[in-house]
Amino acid sequence: MTNILIIYSTTDGHTRSICERLKQVVEGQGHSVEVAWMSDNQDIELQPFDKVIIGASIRYGKHQPQVFDFIKKNQTSLESKPSAFFSVNVVARKPEKNQPETNPYLQKFLKEIAWQPQNLAVFAGKIDYPRYGFVDKQMIRLIMWMTKGPTDPTATIEFTDWDKVEQFGLVISEM
Ligand SMILES: Cc1cc2nc3c(=O)[nH]c(=O)nc-3n(C[C@H](O)[C@H](O)[C@H](O)COP(=O)(O)O)c2cc1C
């Protein structure tokens, strides 16, 4: 049994839902899992954990600055144990962009950080138009229109492949 930290950055909570599903799977394999929100845990001590997983969502082309800060601050600790990173974005709804090697955000991110996670994943996120403010809603509709996605302002669409999330849970359990 190992003690695993899954720490995430989110704006609308979908990355947290993915972390909760990972926790279920990994605990089902007999490990102990703590899920923590990065915003509340920038100074969390990584030393007690055997493995660390970081998950982060994309907003307007970027992961949140706190993700870069967290990685920089914990670089040595992250490199000393098995680790993984996953990104959540809606570009990953496209089959040709849903792998770590083919997702532009993850590829760009890896060039911007010094840490090399042992395992990587990309999950398609969620569009929840009724939840967004006016400007965000129109911006996302425009992006969706340009990329042939859904534009109905009343729609909530979850693109996430939960089987893929569960598979990643097994990878985390075994790494
Ligand atoms: C204002 C806004 C901007 C976004 N920008 C992008 C983007 O540039 N590229 C992308 O692939 N997804 C983008 N998304 C989609 C999010 O990555 C997706 O909704 C994800 O599920 C959000 O995860 P979270 O709830 O954990 O923050 C955006 C979503 C919102 C609301």
Side-chain angles (χ1 to χ4, degrees):
M1 185 193 117
T2 57
N3 190 19
I4 302 175
L5 173 67
I6 305 181
I7 186 160
Y8 63 90
S9 142
T10 186
T11 305
D12 293 323
H14 194 63
T15 306
R16 178 183 309 128
S17 304
I18 291 175
C19 291
E20 293 296 343
R21 183 68 67 92
L22 289 172
K23 177 180 160 89
Q24 269 178 9
V25 172
V26 177
E27 284 187 341
Q29 298 296 305
H31 303 283
S32 157
V33 177
E34 181 174 335
V35 171
W37 188 27
M38 201 176 269
S39 298
D40 277 347
N41 290 279
Q42 268 290 333
D43 297 323
I44 193 168
E45 185 57 58
L46 301 191
Q47 197 272 330
F49 298 99
D50 302 308
K51 307 177 190 175
V52 178
I53 319 305
I54 300 179
S57 63
I58 287 284
R59 214 170 169 88
Y60 292 125
K62 294 181 179 147
H63 296 103
Q64 288 182 3
Q66 65 175 0
V67 181
F68 294 89
D69 295 344
F70 186 86
I71 291 171
K72 209 169 179 182
K73 193 163 59 184
N74 293 290
Q75 173 90 22
T76 311
S77 189
L78 286 168
E79 276 168 0
S80 71
K81 52 188 92 199
S83 65
F85 177 83
F86 68 89
S87 178
V88 179
N89 54 77
V90 291
V91 158
R93 76 187 188 282
K94 303 204 162 214
E96 71 278 14
K97 292 188 179 166
N98 75 357
Q99 299 300 317
E101 303 76 29
T102 57
N103 186 261
Y105 300 122
L106 184 53
Q107 283 303 311
K108 180 164 175 272
F109 180 72
L110 291 173
K111 292 194 180 92
E112 292 167 342
I113 57 168
W115 169 49
Q116 290 186 311
Q118 257 176 17
N119 283 291
L120 296 166
V122 181
F123 301 120
K126 179 177 171 181
I127 292 295
D128 192 354
Y129 284 118
R131 185 190 174 117
Y132 305 149
F134 180 79
V135 174
D136 285 343
K137 191 182 298 192
Q138 301 314 327
M139 288 299 288
I140 299 300
R141 288 184 75 209
L142 177 63
I143 294 168
M144 282 295 139
W145 179 75
M146 292 190 306
T147 61
K148 300 183 171 48
T151 54
D152 174 358
T154 64
T156 298
I157 313 106
E158 196 178 80
F159 296 104
T160 314
D161 177 346
W162 292 102
D163 288 343
K164 191 175 167 187
V165 174
E166 290 178 4
Q167 284 300 319
F168 188 57
L170 295 177
V171 170
I172 293 170
S173 305
E174 287 163 21
M175 74 183 189

